[in-house]
Amino acid sequence: MKILFYTPQSDAAAWLTDLRRALPDATVREWQPGDRGPADFAIVWRPPHDMLAGRSDLRAVFNLGAGVDAILALEREQPGTLPSGVPLVRLEDTGMAAQMVEYIVHAVLRYMRRFDEYAQLQAERRWHVLDPHPRASFTVGVLGLGVLGASVAQAVASFGLPVRGYSRSARRIEGIGTYAGPAQFDAFLDGLKVLVNLLPHTPDTQDVLNAQTLAKLAHGAYLINVARGAHLVERDLLDALHNGQIAAATLDVFRDEPLPVDHPFWREPRITITPHSSALTLRAESVAQIAQKIIALTRGEPVTGIVDVARGY
């Protein structure tokens, strides 16, 4: 079995070591420009077009992340990047759900208990008690009910907060009010106090966090975006902050990463910025999952996590 590996990040050697340990009978090599040698599987993150294009020998391409928007964007820009008929397989959880739950629950409770405002009062040396937001009306909406979104929705609901969830297709999650499809989008948004975005990034979801969307939330609502920067119309968020429609935002993802030093978000105290760190890819868990799926495929067994390229997730 021959496995081709590529990541533009600096930790390729560690991935190669762990993959060879998990699949001792396989030959694992790092792709280099011009390498057209045979391979049964490819494991990639943001691969160049030349790595995959025209390969008829691959049995599957594994993406080193739950989001596949980058590799699908490359396919749209350079058709044929993904070999025809070869399944694209994404990571499923691998420890990301727990991280995402921690990040979002922290942000939601920080806003509900007004700790962000207390931080400002501390900076001003002002002793002033703020009433917490009423729990019964502090409704949290989760955009995207995949593995991560469903975990987040249930975790937030466990604190006794009302929670809604939105997905493209109908879902049923105990204790969560679920909405599906464009016809129910406005009803999902109506009066939300917190909007959490966990949607996959596709052409259909580009710019979904825009002025029209934000205007449907409760006045003085909060935004948490941990999906992709391309979901957010940045000027619309700044305008909503300035007119009071949005009270504050927590952003982990941005259109340009790293966020440029002259970006206006840095100068807006009501925006909390983290460096795309809400749910990091954990190497050991990811290698174990990929290895199990490769072994299953070599045995002719089905695997989960296969991407519907037309849908984008």
Side-chain angles (χ1 to χ4, degrees):
M1 183 198 313
K2 296 179 176 62
I3 298 174
L4 202 55
F5 178 86
Y6 177 83
T7 176
Q9 298 173 345
S10 60
D11 57 350
W15 281 95
L16 291 166
T17 297
D18 287 355
L19 285 165
R20 288 167 181 151
R21 185 179 295 119
L23 295 163
D25 296 328
T27 299
V28 184
R29 72 182 190 274
E30 185 176 8
W31 182 83
Q32 301 293 338
D35 181 351
R36 300 302 296 177
D40 300 295
F41 300 96
I43 302 171
V44 301
W45 179 248
R46 296 182 179 272
H49 170 80
D50 293 345
M51 178 186 178
L52 300 176
R55 284 191 173 272
S56 58
D57 51 353
L58 290 176
R59 298 179 61 178
V61 175
F62 289 86
N63 185 66
L64 287 177
V68 293
D69 50 310
I71 194 169
L72 294 185
L74 181 61
E75 172 65 22
R76 289 192 296 272
E77 294 164 5
Q78 301 183 60
T81 296
L82 291 174
S84 177
V86 177
L88 175 63
V89 187
R90 61 179 174 80
L91 289 179
E92 299 177 279
D93 191 359
T94 62
M96 286 183 279
Q99 296 177 73
M100 195 66 80
V101 164
E102 292 165 353
Y103 184 101
I104 292 172
V105 165
H106 172 271
V108 168
L109 295 181
R110 176 171 174 257
Y111 288 136
M112 188 190 78
R113 292 298 306 271
R114 303 178 72 170
F115 290 137
D116 60 322
E117 295 173 77
Y118 278 124
Q120 182 59 40
L121 289 172
Q122 179 178 342
E124 298 169 359
R125 302 181 185 182
R126 293 174 56 201
W127 182 279
H128 178 62
V129 177
L130 301 170
D131 292 332
H133 292 286
R135 185 180 299 269
S137 61
F138 203 78
T139 306
V140 179
V142 179
L143 268 174
L145 290 176
V147 172
L148 299 182
S151 297
V152 166
Q154 291 173 312
V156 173
S158 72
F159 286 88
L161 298 175
V163 179
R164 302 176 195 164
Y166 176 88
S167 56
R168 177 172 175 171
S169 304
R171 296 285 307 276
R172 293 187 64 183
I173 303 175
E174 185 176 355
I176 309 299
T178 54
Y179 299 73
Q184 295 187 337
F185 187 59
D186 286 357
F188 161 77
L189 295 171
D190 185 37
L192 288 176
K193 194 64 178 175
V194 183
L195 178 61
V196 178
N197 180 40
L198 277 159
L199 286 172
H201 176 219
T202 70
D204 289 339
T205 64
Q206 176 93 5
D207 297 334
V208 66
L209 302 176
N210 54 41
Q212 292 73 31
T213 295
L214 300 178
K216 293 179 172 67
L217 309 179
H219 186 76
Y222 302 91
L223 175 66
I224 302 170
N225 186 21
V226 291
R228 288 293 184 267
H231 286 129
L232 175 64
V233 180
E234 296 177 343
R235 183 69 257 171
D236 288 357
L237 172 59
L238 290 169
D239 290 344
L241 286 165
H242 293 159
N243 66 31
Q245 175 59 22
I246 298 298
T250 295
L251 306 178
D252 185 54
V253 289
F254 307 90
R255 288 180 181 264
D256 296 316
E257 296 182 0
L259 189 65
V261 295
D262 59 348
H263 197 286
F265 283 174
W266 290 113
R267 301 188 296 274
E268 175 48 73
R270 291 166 294 182
I271 295 179
T272 297
I273 293 170
T274 53
H276 205 143
S277 58
S278 56
L280 301 175
T281 298
L282 302 179
R283 190 173 65 250
E285 289 84 345
S286 300
V287 166
Q289 183 179 115
I290 291 170
Q292 290 170 1
K293 290 185 178 182
I294 286 176
I295 292 169
L297 288 171
T298 60
R299 293 173 177 168
E301 300 169 358
V303 299
T304 57
I306 295 178
V307 175
D308 183 333
V309 174
R311 283 194 168 193
Y313 56 90

